[in-house]
Amino acid sequence: ALIGSLSRLDTAPEMSDNISSKVRDLLMQVAVKSERADHGFLPRLIEQSGLMLERKISHLVAKPPGESMRAFIHQMSDQDLKAVILREIMAAGTEKSDSSGVLRSFGELLESVQLLNQHQPESGRTILPFPVFSESAFRFGQLMIDTGRNDHKKAAGADRVINVSFFLDMTRLGPLRADFSMLKKELSGRFLLCDKATCDYLESRIPDLKMQLSRHDYQIRQ
């Protein structure tokens, strides 16, 4: 349901045409791009996607207001997607423009993802929507990470299997889902696609993927 809502935002031209330059810039910073591998993608997504804004400022709330607080809030309003969206909504006031409506919907979706993540803190499961920039428009994918923290059978400090699921709708391959399990540097995974021809193409690329992963010392089990 979350991905469907995010994708509907993408189908409206105002998602790309009428949003402010600051929101566009931040979306572009955290967006997945296909030209090259981006090893800073996940840390940047966590830091700038707006899902941790309240946590970032919570430790400052108890302190008396001062230059450091004002400087921090100003910094957040330039570097955090949710902070920028809130600022844009406040500036728009009761204006009923297309852009303000899109931003309000997008802000509500970010809020719903935050609540979803906060309701299961002990599970170790986190869902992260992420923008994908393609052909002058933004689309959205989904990343779910399960660190296995709710597995009480494991002794404290024991190695855990980390499960990662990755979903996005690609322009040429169509909908793509990738599921991976990792234990230390051992990795197993699978790809799910929509048709035989796409599966055959991706299968032809698997040897190259294995080679790339082995350069980072990963052992491919399956």
Side-chain angles (χ1 to χ4, degrees):
L2 173 68
I3 294 305
S5 300
L6 288 167
S7 296
R8 282 194 294 275
L9 285 178
D10 162 59
T11 59
E14 61 264 24
M15 185 61 199
S16 292
D17 296 340
N18 291 341
I19 59 176
S20 72
S21 60
K22 179 54 67 175
V23 175
R24 179 191 293 270
D25 289 345
L26 279 175
L27 281 172
M28 184 65 78
Q29 286 178 33
V30 299
V32 171
K33 306 169 189 69
S34 61
E35 295 84 7
R36 56 182 172 79
D38 184 358
H39 303 295
F41 162 68
L42 187 55
R44 192 167 58 250
L45 177 66
I46 293 172
E47 284 296 317
Q48 296 183 254
S49 65
L51 298 178
M52 296 180 63
L53 176 62
E54 287 79 7
R55 182 178 295 182
K56 291 175 184 176
I57 64 175
S58 61
H59 68 282
L60 293 175
V61 172
K63 299 180 180 180
E67 290 301 321
S68 60
M69 171 69 90
R70 283 189 284 270
F72 185 79
I73 296 298
H74 178 74
Q75 180 185 17
M76 285 300 97
S77 67
D78 284 333
Q79 298 181 5
D80 186 279
L81 187 59
K82 186 176 179 182
V84 172
I85 289 174
L86 291 173
R87 186 177 67 182
E88 295 283 334
I89 291 173
M90 290 176 64
T94 58
E95 182 183 351
K96 298 295 185 181
S97 67
D98 290 341
S99 57
S100 65
V102 169
L103 286 180
R104 287 179 192 277
S105 298
F106 192 26
E108 290 170 1
L109 282 165
L110 287 178
E111 191 74 24
S112 69
V113 176
Q114 278 185 297
L115 291 173
L116 179 65
N117 288 336
Q118 290 168 6
H119 284 165
Q120 47 182 9
E122 296 304 317
S123 70
R125 294 173 183 162
T126 302
I127 182 172
L128 297 170
F130 58 89
V132 182
F133 185 74
S134 175
E135 298 178 355
S136 74
F138 289 107
R139 304 171 70 85
F140 288 86
Q142 171 182 307
L143 179 67
M144 192 175 91
I145 304 171
D146 184 353
T147 59
R149 284 173 54 192
N150 63 338
D151 188 354
H152 299 295
K153 297 178 182 178
K154 293 283 187 181
D159 294 322
R160 289 189 175 94
V161 175
I162 297 175
N163 295 299
V164 177
S165 291
F166 182 83
F167 175 82
L168 73 164
D169 191 357
M170 302 185 75
T171 53
R172 296 191 181 183
L173 297 182
L176 164 69
R177 174 176 161 184
D179 298 323
F180 284 88
S181 297
M182 293 175 282
L183 178 62
K184 292 185 176 181
K185 287 284 189 174
E186 293 188 352
L187 187 150
S188 297
R190 65 172 184 166
F191 295 93
L192 296 95
L193 301 107
C194 282
D195 59 71
K196 180 71 164 58
T198 308
C199 287
D200 290 343
Y201 169 74
L202 196 65
E203 189 172 16
S204 72
R205 304 294 298 170
I206 293 296
D208 184 57
L209 175 61
K210 288 183 177 179
M211 185 181 302
Q212 295 287 346
L213 289 168
S214 67
R215 291 175 182 172
H216 295 280
D217 300 323
Y218 281 98
Q219 299 177 15
I220 312 303
R221 294 181 62 87
Q222 185 176 357

